[in-house]
Amino acid sequence: MACPGPSAEALLSPADAMRRSHADAAARARKGLAFGLGAFGWWAVVVPVYFRVLSGNGAIPYEILAQRVLFGLPVLFALLAWQGQLRAFARTLTNWHALRMLLPSTVFIGINWFFFIKSVADDNLSHASLGYYINPLVSVALGFLFLGERLRTAQWGAVCIACVAVAVLAWAEGTLPYISIVLPVSFGLYGLLRKQASVGPTIGLSFEMLMLLPLCVGLTVWLSRTGQGVFLQGPGWVSGLMVLGGLVTIVPLLWFTSAARLLPLSTVGLLQYLAPTGQLLLAFLFFGETFVPEKWVAFGLIWLAIAVFTTDALRHNARERRGRRAMLADAGG
């Protein structure tokens, strides 16, 4: 039997192999960046505009949430089948460790989705934007409270500045901006639980939507019988938009998971600020929300907190990389 010849890669010179490696890495980075921009851009513009159109045509937040689950779950099950993960999903249903985390995470993602929809319906998208700016800081604080993680001085400073920003917004508007608190806290707790569930994003979200399904079916029936529902009772194009709710929910999730797989975590962390930035611009330029000077002060403080937090994270990561290189050099020597 003839011996196989050397592979094309084996025939490359070291310099050519290095150039190919760099070219492959650059291609992965470009692809990951495209997915990341698509995902966070979608969450910044498409999702709030979608909710705005539905709420502006008579759909209340409860119905929008219910239709999101009803039409999102079939898309997720089709995705699980395409990825060959249906058996893994079935095993999750009998995995008590995963269930202990996924049952409460279902509650928190339901709360998060509802209050984001409500923020759009109530002309408070800017409050949601502030909340999602705060979200990374809340996650750090939750890690300190529940996982025993230590906060560096700069992280404490960023958290404190964020608290002042919320207080300034409350003073400016004469009421507690509860959406700016509920959204980051609910999503932070959701992330904390999902981190410990050890299941993939598609499997976890499918389980959560399945748990929300009975409530959403009940809501849909009740709204229909009381005449408060829009689906199949209002304009046909509105019902058609609701059917698309599954794709509106799932598409950015797929893009995000692809970006997370192709990009460094630090890059994904920086990209996440695109979503609240887009939401803020949308609220200010197109949704006609009121922005008194004190409100801009609140956002200025949030941007300062983010700058402190991000600069500290980048410096800490750089120090860790230098430390690893030094250890490898010592081990090699």
Side-chain angles (χ1 to χ4, degrees):
M1 188 171 75
C3 295
S7 65
E9 287 78 6
L11 296 175
L12 293 174
S13 68
D16 288 338
M18 183 174 294
R19 278 193 290 270
R20 172 170 289 188
S21 175
H22 286 321
D24 289 344
R28 284 173 56 87
R30 286 194 298 270
K31 190 175 180 181
L33 188 61
F35 279 126
L37 291 173
F40 289 110
W42 189 286
W43 282 320
V45 179
V46 175
V47 172
V49 168
Y50 174 77
F51 292 151
R52 176 82 169 194
V53 171
L54 290 180
S55 61
N57 285 275
I60 63 175
Y62 288 114
E63 182 175 22
I64 298 173
L65 173 64
Q67 299 301 336
R68 187 179 196 183
V69 172
L70 290 175
F71 295 113
L73 194 55
V75 176
L76 281 171
F77 278 141
L79 185 61
L80 287 173
W82 179 64
Q83 294 176 339
Q85 295 191 75
L86 286 174
R87 288 186 179 180
F89 175 76
R91 287 195 297 271
T92 300
L93 299 178
T94 59
N95 182 340
W96 174 237
H97 173 73
L99 293 179
R100 281 193 310 121
M101 302 300 164
L102 290 174
L103 288 171
S105 77
T106 299
V107 175
F108 288 120
I109 197 60
I111 291 171
N112 185 270
W113 283 353
F114 173 77
F115 279 101
F116 182 75
I117 296 169
K118 184 172 173 58
S119 74
V120 176
D122 293 348
D123 291 329
N124 281 322
L125 180 59
S126 59
H127 289 195
S129 169
L130 185 74
Y132 283 124
Y133 273 126
I134 293 172
N135 187 70
L137 306 179
V138 170
S139 296
V140 167
L142 290 174
F144 169 75
L145 291 173
F146 294 103
L147 301 179
E149 297 176 356
R150 296 183 61 183
L151 267 66
R152 298 184 293 276
T153 303
Q155 291 176 319
W156 275 117
V159 170
C160 291
I161 295 170
C163 292
V164 174
V166 172
V168 169
L169 185 60
W171 171 64
E173 303 205 339
T175 183
L176 183 69
Y178 67 93
I179 285 176
S180 300
I181 300 170
V182 171
L183 287 180
V185 169
S186 60
F187 197 74
L189 290 169
Y190 172 75
L192 182 69
L193 291 164
R194 284 295 300 272
K195 183 179 180 180
Q196 300 174 74
S198 301
V199 297
T202 308
I203 290 176
L205 187 60
S206 299
F207 176 87
E208 289 155 357
M209 280 199 172
L210 185 62
M211 292 299 100
L212 289 170
L213 183 62
L215 173 64
C216 292
V217 170
L219 271 173
T220 302
V221 172
W222 176 72
L223 290 170
S224 177
R225 289 185 175 180
T226 58
Q228 299 179 68
V230 174
F231 184 67
L232 299 181
Q233 300 181 60
W237 67 270
V238 176
S239 298
L241 269 185
M242 287 184 165
V243 173
L244 294 176
L247 290 176
V248 171
T249 299
I250 307 308
V251 166
L253 174 69
L254 295 177
W255 289 349
F256 172 76
T257 53
S258 297
R261 190 172 61 250
L262 294 168
L263 293 174
L265 189 60
S266 58
T267 303
V268 176
L270 291 174
L271 285 175
Q272 72 177 323
Y273 292 119
L274 291 175
T277 300
Q279 292 162 8
L280 178 63
L281 292 173
L282 203 60
F284 178 62
L285 297 175
F286 298 102
F287 286 5
E289 293 189 23
T290 303
F291 278 76
V292 296
E294 294 85 355
K295 195 169 185 177
W296 287 117
V297 171
F299 274 98
L301 288 168
I302 283 297
W303 294 327
L304 174 61
I306 290 167
V308 171
F309 178 80
T310 304
T311 301
D312 173 73
L314 293 174
R315 287 177 176 173
H316 179 72
N317 291 339
R319 283 196 298 269
E320 286 195 331
R321 285 195 299 270
R322 287 195 297 269
R324 285 194 294 269
R325 285 196 295 267
M327 290 177 62
L328 290 172
D330 291 343

